[in-house]
Amino acid sequence: MPHISLPTDQPGIVGLFDFRPETAGPLNALAEVLLRQESTLTRGERELIAAYVSSLNNCRFCFSSHAAFAAAQLPEGMPLVEQVRADLDAAPVPSKLRALLRIAGKVQRGGREVTEEDVRAARAEGATDVEIHDTVLIAAAFCMFNRYVDGLATFAPDDPEAYAAMAEQIVATGYAHVPAELRG
């Protein structure tokens, strides 16, 4: 049960967006830039970073939704997402992405956890300054999103199909607006 009265029974951040549409716009715009605009990291890779951080934060709604969004955009699908979640070091991801996910994991613990050595390691695997920047910002933003969703005790569906339906919409239309189908 959410800590505040929400106008709908929509899950997670979607219900919060219904509650304060004036904050939904800027938050969706940030997600759109970070996760969907042109980048040398694929949309699936960026969603994987968001899902990984959400998993580390134990945010069930954000992990489940962004895992579904990543899986829908990665050729290896949900098995890869689950492998990264279970054991990043053993997961079959490119070395550059592994280095970026390690940075994201450090940001999740605290921004000052990221060291020059972490950045050097990512660069040695081919990461650009923009990719490093965006990884840190995705990780920081998802720490905020996770705390927003969990801090207000929003509802998170148990059914994976609910997240798959969200993934269809987000992959097709993006974050610039929350589709009516997700608003009920």
Side-chain angles (χ1 to χ4, degrees):
M1 182 97 182
H3 292 313
I4 60 175
S5 296
L6 298 176
T8 68
D9 61 354
Q10 293 298 309
I13 205 165
V14 181
L16 298 174
F17 287 168
D18 284 343
F19 181 75
R20 287 290 304 258
E22 60 274 29
T23 62
L27 293 175
N28 275 320
L30 178 60
E32 183 72 20
V33 168
L34 292 176
L35 302 176
R36 292 184 48 86
Q37 282 191 351
E38 288 299 314
S39 174
T40 50
L41 296 174
T42 70
R43 288 177 177 175
E45 290 169 335
R46 290 176 281 163
E47 290 285 1
L48 183 60
I49 294 167
Y52 181 66
V53 169
S54 297
S55 172
L56 294 173
N57 282 325
N58 295 312
C59 182
R60 191 169 64 128
F61 175 81
C62 293
F63 169 73
S64 297
S65 57
H66 290 279
F69 303 168
Q73 297 176 89
L74 291 168
E76 305 86 353
M78 192 58 79
L80 178 63
V81 175
E82 289 296 346
Q83 287 175 303
V84 167
R85 180 185 198 191
D87 185 356
L88 174 60
D89 291 331
V93 295
S95 56
K96 177 175 83 172
L97 182 57
R98 184 182 330 281
L100 292 172
L101 286 162
R102 284 188 181 127
I103 288 173
K106 287 198 170 184
V107 170
Q108 180 272 333
R109 290 193 301 275
R112 293 190 175 156
E113 294 286 319
V114 179
T115 66
E116 186 59 39
E117 182 180 310
D118 298 319
V119 172
R120 243 191 328 271
R123 283 188 181 128
E125 297 299 342
T128 67
D129 284 352
V130 170
E131 291 169 338
I132 294 165
H133 170 277
D134 289 358
T135 295
V136 169
L137 188 51
I138 290 166
F142 273 84
C143 286
M144 176 190 66
F145 291 141
N146 299 160
R147 285 158 180 78
Y148 181 39
V149 165
D150 285 345
L152 289 169
T154 62
F155 166 69
D158 292 323
D159 183 4
E161 288 305 310
Y163 300 102
M166 287 181 203
E168 256 183 63
Q169 290 297 318
I170 293 296
V171 169
T173 63
Y175 295 95
H177 68 285
V178 177
E181 295 80 18
L182 296 183
R183 288 189 175 272

